[in-house]
Amino acid sequence: MKTPNPQLDGQGNLKHFLTIEGLRREILVEILDRAEGFLGVAKQAVKKVPLCRGKVIANLFFETSTRTRTTFELAAKRLSADVLNLNVSTSATAKGETLLDTLRNLEAMHVDMFVVRHGSSGAAHFIATHAAPHVSVINAGDGRHSHPTQGMLDMFTIRHHKPDFAAIKVAIVGDILHSRVARSQILALNTLGASEVRVIGPRTLIPECAAEALGVRVFHDLLEGIRDVDVVIMLRLQRERMTSALLPSEHEYFQLYGLTEERLAQAHPDAIVMHPGPINRGVEMESQVADGTRSVILEQVTNGIAIRMAVMSMCIGTQNLAGRGEKAPYG
Ligand code: CP
């Protein structure tokens, strides 16, 4: 018998969003379609919908973040939720309080959802396993494992420029070994039926057997790898996760794998350039590309709000509004 996906409730609806792995294409498409309906909220005079009114959402960020933390906060506020932002560096975690004790104390404040970023792979799953039954958990990035809302906002951005996944070739360039973003993107692209997914980088940063198991083509030459692709996704070099000298120098990395206007000419003439941020300019790409006409990097950030609204409303809203037969008041 197939093990039920722990992210889904008894009706097959999303309750937690921990990883893209194991989720059906229909769920990913529902996230993208719901996010489409939320894009317009930013253009309203009052940038809010009442979908999560009365709900309490706690952001627990045990690792640094600019984009993910702020867009989750904005998304929760646009859904009219009450938002708690736990500043871990000034919380009782610094005095030795365990993750579970922090969880129990926040649950005692009637929190309905935890948004969790943590340096350890599996942290969000751990919280979902131990949280009270009514509480939903969203993974905002755990170790090297998964960053599912980033993966989905990237799919949303790609779909806006290239509506047919079956017709696109995507290249992901850089530090695949340490990248939770790459893993989430590959899972989403495969589930949504992308024609071809390539990963490009030095041998030290691509776990070859894992990459092939994920159903991607591996390249070690940038020009060969980006030839004719429709989407080029550059990844950040994750120095903080490198435990040994995997690269000679950032200068040499740029010489071999840095994206320049000249190199980008190898890709399809309409190719878009993406990066999850933060960018190391002059390491992963030159500024002319990051700020150029083919860059959709800031669109990715904007789209992150709509995608996070979609995921949060599905996890909380589906259970608590649709479950009572109420119509979702958006889009
Ligand atoms: N893309 C991303 O996760 O960025 P932050 O680390 O700033 O959240």
Side-chain angles (χ1 to χ4, degrees):
M1 206 176 80
K2 214 173 151 208
T3 320
N5 189 318
Q7 302 183 92
L8 305 178
D9 67 14
Q11 282 75 50
N13 297 317
L14 206 58
K15 179 181 179 196
H16 305 295
F17 194 46
L18 308 173
T19 171
I20 288 169
E21 191 166 9
L23 291 181
R24 298 187 313 277
R25 181 178 179 280
E26 293 71 37
I27 290 192
L28 302 195
V29 171
E30 187 183 347
I31 293 171
L32 297 177
D33 290 347
R34 257 194 201 224
E36 212 66 66
F38 285 131
L39 272 185
V41 176
K43 300 189 183 96
Q44 294 174 191
V46 177
K47 299 180 181 57
K48 277 188 187 295
V49 288
L51 201 53
C52 291
R53 189 167 53 202
K55 301 294 174 191
V56 182
I57 298 179
N59 284 325
L60 307 182
F61 277 64
F62 294 89
E63 215 191 41
T64 55
S65 168
T66 297
R67 284 146 287 269
T68 312
R69 202 199 62 74
T70 49
T71 53
F72 262 114
E73 180 174 351
L74 259 184
K77 287 179 172 169
R78 286 192 182 166
L79 289 168
S80 307
D82 293 324
V83 183
L84 294 176
N85 288 308
L86 189 76
N87 184 345
V88 172
S89 62
T90 56
S91 76
T93 301
K95 298 180 193 162
E97 185 171 71
T98 67
L99 187 54
L100 271 186
D101 280 334
T102 303
L103 186 72
R104 294 283 170 255
N105 278 274
L106 288 164
E107 279 180 352
M109 300 172 207
H110 303 288
V111 166
D112 297 288
M113 173 179 282
F114 291 110
V115 176
V116 182
R117 169 166 288 192
H118 204 286
S120 300
S121 298
H125 282 78
F126 176 82
I127 291 179
T129 306
H130 290 88
H134 73 281
V135 172
S136 293
V137 179
I138 297 182
N139 184 359
D142 63 327
R144 297 183 191 186
H145 172 240
S146 182
H147 194 350
T149 57
Q150 179 71 45
M152 290 311 297
L153 74 88
D154 293 335
M155 297 308 109
F156 189 75
T157 307
I158 291 173
R159 195 173 79 162
H160 267 229
H161 291 271
K162 315 276 173 194
D164 183 7
F165 280 100
I168 58 165
K169 295 191 192 91
V170 180
I172 305 174
V173 185
D175 186 358
I176 309 293
L177 177 66
H178 300 98
S179 179
R180 56 195 177 204
V181 172
R183 202 175 141 71
S184 296
Q185 289 165 337
I186 292 167
L187 287 163
L189 285 165
N190 285 340
T191 306
L192 292 167
S195 154
E196 188 179 328
V197 183
R198 305 176 182 178
V199 294
I200 307 167
R203 288 178 200 283
T204 48
L205 294 181
I206 299 188
E208 201 128 352
C209 53
E212 277 163 14
L214 282 166
V216 296
R217 287 182 68 194
V218 178
F219 292 81
H220 300 295
D221 181 275
L222 178 65
L223 294 185
E224 198 190 329
I226 63 171
R227 193 162 297 141
D228 297 327
V229 298
D230 305 281
V231 179
V232 184
I233 304 177
M234 304 303 292
L235 298 175
R236 182 174 70 85
L237 270 190
Q238 301 195 27
R239 286 281 187 199
E240 74 279 15
R241 295 195 209 286
M242 292 186 192
T243 49
S244 57
L246 296 171
L247 289 171
S249 71
E250 289 182 348
H251 176 73
E252 191 167 332
Y253 179 83
F254 181 73
Q255 296 306 316
L256 290 171
Y257 294 103
L259 192 63
T260 61
E261 291 277 12
E262 195 185 341
R263 290 171 175 172
L264 184 55
Q266 291 295 315
H268 189 280
D270 292 330
I272 54 169
V273 176
M274 302 173 69
H275 192 302
I279 305 170
N280 293 308
R281 289 171 185 259
V283 179
E284 295 120 25
M285 61 173 72
E286 62 179 10
S287 284
Q288 287 95 313
V289 175
D291 305 327
T293 52
R294 299 216 249 163
S295 167
V296 296
I297 294 170
L298 293 178
E299 270 179 54
Q300 289 172 260
V301 178
T302 304
N303 291 340
I305 302 169
I307 280 289
R308 288 169 177 137
M309 289 173 78
V311 170
M312 287 194 284
S313 67
M314 281 169 75
C315 290
I316 282 188
T318 315
Q319 282 164 248
N320 301 308
L321 292 175
R324 293 203 303 259
E326 294 174 29
K327 192 164 162 27
Y330 68 92

